[in-house]
Amino acid sequence: MGRMPGSYTGVVPVSAAQLASALSVTTVPAFITGSWSTGMPVLWVNQAFEELGGVGIDELAILGPHSLLALVQDDPNRAAAQADLKAGRAMRRIVSARRRDGGTTWLQVDVTPLPNGDDLPEYWVGVTTDVSEYVDQQAEQLASLEVERRQRADLDLIAQTTELLGDLEYPFALRDIADLLRSLVPWSGFYLNDDGLLFAEGVDVASPPSGRGRRHTRYVPEDRPLDRLEPVPSGADGGAPASNPAVDDVQDLLDGVVDGPVRLSLEGRFDPTSASGWLRRDLMHRVVEETGAVPHAVVVHAVAGRRRVLGLLVTWHGGAEADVHPGRPEPDHVSTVVEVVARRAGTAVDNARLYAREHRLAEALQRAMLPEQADVTGLDVWTYYAPNAEHAQVGGDWYDVLQIADGTVGLVIGDVVGHDVEAAAAMGQLRSVVRAYAYELTTPGTVLDRVDQLVAGMRVPRPASMVYAALEHLTEDDTWALEYTRAGHLPPLLLRDGTTQLLSEAGGMLVGFGNETRTTGREVLRRGDVLIFYTDGLIERRDRSLKRGLETLTEMSGRITARDAAGVGEELLSRLADSPEDDVAIVVVRVPDPEADRRVTALSPRSRRWLLPSEPGSIGRARHAVLRTSQAWGLPDSAAAELVVSELVANGVLHGWGNIALRLFDTGDGLRIEVEDSNPAPPVATDGHPNRLGGFGMQIVERLADWGWRPSTSGKLVWAKLRPDLTGGAGQE
């Protein structure tokens, strides 16, 4: 026998008989076949091959050409293997084969051609190796990697959901979460139980925190036969419908009778007014419209808040819905993710509604506590209040302006310790007490004595400071007599002819702690004098002492150039309250000086703001504000501006609620007026109200100004910019 390539070349030669014997007894399954053109018939197999495959040479001969392929199960790479064999190239493949006991084993098959000098081999030698253990390990690793990948994807989905739930003011938060879930299921959607089930793309935080809403009908009325219910297709076998009309699993889920999830068959028969019936109708329409497929069953998860179920999260599993059955409504990992999302959504919705309710309560309380500034004859008065944004729009600062009698005005500013509802409630009590005694008594010290007595008996839970001042008009020389007293509060500031003076007399303990009779300080105000009352939020900062803050206020006030109360306030805010660390309340009172005001145009900030109550009297106050501002800025008296601001504020009073914010800006080429109220509905120019007066307000505004509107954080803001060519000429026919 000639030497074969790769054969042993040592000193002791191996005979052909010895080589054949070795192949026969080796434990490695081996075989020899003929050429590809003859069908690769099996010519020889060893004993190990017979034991592995459970067939011998005779049985393989019966199988005919390519008999080895009959032992191999479906192989996706079979075409590539056959191409190698046809071309006479060696081939290695891992294939699955049937064992004698009916099981499956994984084999690595190596087939090598025996060279014969021709282009295509006449014989092939093959060996097989059992790699089942390796394949199983690899499959386990791949399965583990797939589980890890899926878990990472699920965690990422939950993280994205959590991020979306962090901003429920976004109007499509729930829609975007449902879109994320559609990476797991073909369709999903949220339904909130607000006055009955409603499909939800976002969260209406104005709905009650309970989310209970209106109940759907649970049972079929006795006087209503079942044949009048909506038609429902029968089961596949033509039998009865799948559901009992008296059973309402969806309502049970909403009522917390069952924890869920529950499977809802859309082929069932339900009372149309029940929760299940309503949900079935909506899903059949919605899923078909969005996916083009007809759903047969869905899985319903509860979106639960702290005390009650707020809504539902519905998932449809598409082609896999045959596996969705009552015992196992959906695959485990999908169910886990959907359940986590539903639970987090319920908590977030509940929190958002609770926060919104508390926020509305706080705002309503704050609006109720803030004064409705009285019109003060003979004085220019400007007020301002801004709670720290970190304190939910609630604080203990307050002010009051009282027209006690003709020629007599009461001024109050105070601060209750704290930034919560209790502080606001204490502030409201003090405000009522001070108002009562201010109208009864005249001397500020006496008023504060009586307040001390009553507050001590009321046991108001929070300490408070305040300044109470009374101004009386002296007609003989057109001056104002000022009397004031202080209860632990910062002294008012008097501006006169470019100089500043702290009115630090008549000091005393906090309200309710006065052990001695309160004293009264006195001053006479002349034309052009300005009084500034303020709370510590205007000057207090973490990086400086209160004393240094007072020095800064005094220094900055000496530089004020404004000739109107609103301008003085705006300059103070721009210089001292860009980023306040506490609530800020300011009252500015100026004694007008008509002669000097006409001669001088002050270089003060060209913007003004007022907070007006939603009452008809605010319309006149807004007109006066425009008139005073035009005079302070040296603008011609503009009837157009007064008319426009009247219409905008009137709309806010008639159609809005809460306080109305008025802002004026000098743009350089015209006056810009902004009015903000709490009604988000936009203004509309109409042709008037049929059969009654009115309705032409916005038409008047259109004739005199360019105008528009935009949403604001609390409602809407309407703006109007007067046309320069109409300045001073409006209202004349």
Side-chain angles (χ1 to χ4, degrees), residues 44-94:
W44 173 85
V45 298
N46 64 0
Q47 184 177 354
F49 184 91
E50 291 182 3
E51 293 175 353
L52 176 65
V55 294
I57 189 68
D58 296 334
E59 294 171 293
L60 290 170
I62 297 174
L63 295 176
H66 301 291
S67 55
L68 289 177
L69 295 179
L71 303 179
V72 179
Q73 295 183 347
D74 293 339
D75 179 9
N77 296 319
R78 177 173 293 182
Q82 291 178 354
D84 288 338
L85 295 174
K86 289 178 183 179
R89 296 189 295 266
M91 180 206 72
R92 170 176 287 182
R93 282 284 184 266
I94 295 178

Side-chain angles (χ1 to χ4, degrees), residues 30-45 49 57 60 64-69 85 109-114 121-127:
F31 59 88
I32 298 176
T33 71
S35 65
W36 173 264
S37 60
T38 60
M40 294 190 76
V42 179
L43 306 178
W44 173 85
V45 298
F49 184 91
I57 189 68
L60 290 170
H66 301 291
S67 55
L68 289 177
L69 295 179
L85 295 174
V109 181
D110 291 88
V111 183
T112 305
L114 292 176
E122 294 184 8
Y123 300 100
W124 296 76
V125 176
V127 295

Side-chain angles (χ1 to χ4, degrees), residues 373 376 379-383 401 411 565 587-590 610 628:
Q373 176 185 323
V376 180
L379 292 175
D380 182 9
V381 181
W382 180 84
T383 57
V401 181
L411 301 172
V587 178
V588 179
V589 180
R590 183 177 184 271
W610 290 265
R628 288 196 301 268

